[in-house]
Amino acid sequence: MKTIIFATNNQHKINEIKFIVGSQYQIVSLKDAGIDIDIPEPYDTLKENAFAKSSTIYKLTQQNCFSEDTGLFVEALTGEPGVRSARYAGEENDPLKNMEKLLKNLVAETNRSAQFITVISLILDGVAYLFEGVCRGLIIDAPKGTNGFGYDPIFIPDGAEKTFAEMTNQEKSLFSHRQKATAKLVAFLSQNWKLPSLN
């Protein structure tokens, strides 16, 4: 089985990506690869932050790898929290505080439209590629559900009646931004990642 490094320390994302990929590839986390670094995400776009992570790990290991960056973009807040989604309420990256701040900022708003965007940055044999997945939906007034992570308890995707946090992994994968981006990644790898020649 082909092995690829997933450049993240977020166990929730590792679990979700592994569920999506299944047995097609062996996904190796930074921890599993023996890499103990926290890669900064200083840029203003998901694409730049995702590439910063994948390029850092590729330079360090010279192994095929990918990373992802995800943001929640709320229409009434002109795109907030966006690229700062994980640290919306502070650098401690506290999901509950992030949700509290978002809901407080939306109290007077009737427009609850939002979208999750995931960008995956792949480096395969030294060449960089990008894949994007988008999930549109609505922000509800109070958290519901205990599954998922991040803003999942307050986000209902279009076409669903439950929040991401009320869904099983299988249900979430029908709508998920991360699923859409990862499906593009897997399709690309199946077409372009060839075993080295024995000649």
Side-chain angles (χ1 to χ4, degrees), residues 59-79:
K59 288 173 185 175
L60 189 64
T61 66
Q62 294 298 302
Q63 294 184 45
N64 293 324
C65 63
F66 70 96
S67 64
E68 67 92 72
D69 200 24
T70 295
L72 175 64
F73 296 78
V74 180
E75 196 171 287
L77 302 179
T78 61

Side-chain angles (χ1 to χ4, degrees), residues 79-113:
E80 286 187 7
V83 176
R84 296 285 302 168
S85 290
R87 296 171 177 82
Y88 190 43
E91 291 301 318
E92 65 268 30
N93 192 356
D94 186 320
L96 291 177
K97 289 183 179 178
N98 288 336
M99 280 193 290
E100 287 174 5
K101 180 177 179 178
L102 182 61
L103 292 176
K104 182 179 178 181
N105 289 343
L106 281 174
V107 165
E109 300 292 343
T110 55
N111 179 4
R112 312 290 287 198
S113 296

Side-chain angles (χ1 to χ4, degrees), residues 6 13-21 27 66 178 182:
F6 181 17
K13 291 184 178 182
I14 294 164
N15 293 341
E16 192 166 304
I17 290 285
K18 283 185 174 180
F19 176 81
I20 295 168
V21 172
I27 305 298
F66 70 96
R178 195 168 286 109
T182 304

Side-chain angles (χ1 to χ4, degrees), residues 29-46:
S29 68
L30 291 181
K31 182 180 179 181
D32 291 340
I35 302 169
D36 184 17
I37 59 173
D38 191 19
I39 307 167
E41 301 176 18
Y43 299 105
D44 294 329
T45 68
L46 299 176

Side-chain angles (χ1 to χ4, degrees), residues 125-140:
D125 300 326
V127 182
Y129 306 89
L130 290 171
F131 308 93
E132 183 177 281
V134 178
C135 177
R136 294 178 175 83
L138 297 172
I139 303 296
I140 60 174

